[in-house]
Amino acid sequence: ETGVTQTPRHLVMGMTNKKSLKCEQHLGHNAMYWYKQSAKKPLELMFVYSLEERVENNSVPSRFSPECPNSSHLFLHLHTLQPEDSALYLCASRQRLGGGQNIQYFGAGTRLSVL
Amino acid sequence: SQQGEEDPQALSIQEGENATMNCSYKTSINNLQWYRQNSGRGLVHLILIRSNEREKHSGRLRVTLDTSKKSSSLLITASRAADTASYFCATDPFYSEGGKLIFGQGTELSVKP
């Protein structure tokens, strides 16, 4: 266990559904990330939250809506998704090391299938 | 485009052999990191090497960094079937807001018993 918990682990949804992915960490980290991992593609950074403020949105379609109510929780709200949005969605949090170095702790991911 | 490019994309070896994976990147970095991902799971941090370091060891892992060539290698010695996973390099670029890391495409390692 990395200390980053994602729920649900698996999700099947239709294109008209609305669902949310949840990520939780109690490691005291103050930055959190959403990534999309599709088969045979590099990890795609979707959103970055630092101190609960969104600092990056990598041209993600508006059908993905992130929410960070506090430094321990991160949500990804999904609506009217497309089949090509089927992927493994990973959440991560940042640990600051000395000397300005950072590493990331990842959750186990949510495997999303859009029918 | 992704900063880290890994080579090879896939590697199959026998247990007990050494596995070497390479990573190239494009811009100046604070550090370079290697992560491991078991199938369908999240990534796990393995090792970090700072830009002013040339080599680092952790157990059976050996990482090198050549900033003049913008490349790194990960060596796993005496591999085991349990080392079967995908391995990703990630760079921590200068002036990265929010501690963003740039991940490579990964190397799929298969270690046969």
Side-chain angles (χ1 to χ4, degrees):
Chain A
E1 291 298 326
T2 62
V4 179
T5 303
Q6 287 188 245
T7 53
R9 290 295 317 280
H10 301 273
L11 179 61
V12 179
M13 58 187 289
M15 291 193 286
T16 58
N17 291 160
K18 288 185 180 181
K19 297 285 185 183
S20 296
L21 310 185
K22 180 181 177 182
C23 178
E24 186 171 357
Q25 58 89 10
H26 296 287
L27 301 169
H29 299 168
N30 61 11
M32 296 181 77
Y33 313 82
W34 279 117
Y35 292 89
K36 176 183 178 183
Q37 188 177 35
S38 304
K40 307 297 183 188
K41 285 188 175 182
L43 215 57
E44 298 174 49
L45 179 63
M46 300 174 72
F47 300 104
V48 179
Y49 274 83
S50 179
L51 297 172
E52 298 154 41
E53 296 292 325
R54 189 190 315 178
V55 297
E56 188 152 338
N57 172 352
N58 276 348
S59 303
V60 179
S62 59
R63 58 185 183 269
F64 295 92
S65 175
E67 178 190 1
C68 187
N70 55 61
S71 59
S72 297
H73 294 88
L74 185 66
F75 295 89
L76 188 63
H77 303 299
L78 316 171
H79 64 99
T80 59
L81 294 192
Q82 304 298 310
E84 60 264 29
D85 296 323
S86 298
L88 182 66
Y89 288 84
L90 294 166
C91 170
S93 66
R94 175 187 68 186
Q95 179 187 20
R96 288 185 183 274
L97 306 176
Q101 315 291 326
N102 306 288
I103 64 174
Q104 292 185 11
Y105 285 67
F106 282 80
T110 295
R111 172 68 63 186
L112 174 66
S113 297
V114 181
L115 304 179
Chain B
S1 62
Q2 287 290 318
Q3 164 136 275
E5 296 292 335
E6 276 137 297
D7 166 53
Q9 290 191 346
L11 179 60
S12 182
I13 59 174
Q14 293 294 130
E15 226 172 9
E17 295 180 341
N18 294 342
T20 300
M21 289 158 266
N22 302 296
C23 169
S24 61
Y25 59 93
K26 295 177 181 159
T27 62
S28 297
I29 61 172
N30 285 320
N31 63 67
L32 186 143
Q33 304 174 30
W34 287 89
Y35 287 78
R36 167 195 167 125
Q37 183 181 34
N38 284 49
S39 180
R41 307 286 296 186
L43 282 71
V44 176
H45 176 81
L46 294 176
I47 193 166
L48 177 154
I49 186 165
R50 300 184 184 215
S51 60
N52 61 355
E53 297 176 312
R54 292 297 164 255
E55 187 169 316
K56 199 160 183 182
H57 296 254
S58 177
R60 293 184 295 112
L61 305 181
R62 173 180 168 249
V63 171
T64 62
L65 179 64
D66 186 336
T67 52
S68 66
K69 294 181 180 178
K70 291 186 166 59
S71 67
S72 173
S73 67
L74 171 68
L75 169 67
I76 304 174
T77 60
S79 64
R80 304 167 182 167
D83 294 328
T84 295
S86 292
Y87 292 82
F88 295 86
C89 69
T91 50
D92 181 358
F94 280 145
Y95 310 120
S96 166
E97 193 170 8
K100 178 174 72 175
L101 297 178
I102 309 296
F103 285 86
Q105 294 190 342
T107 293
E108 280 189 39
L109 174 65
S110 174
V111 181
K112 300 188 186 315

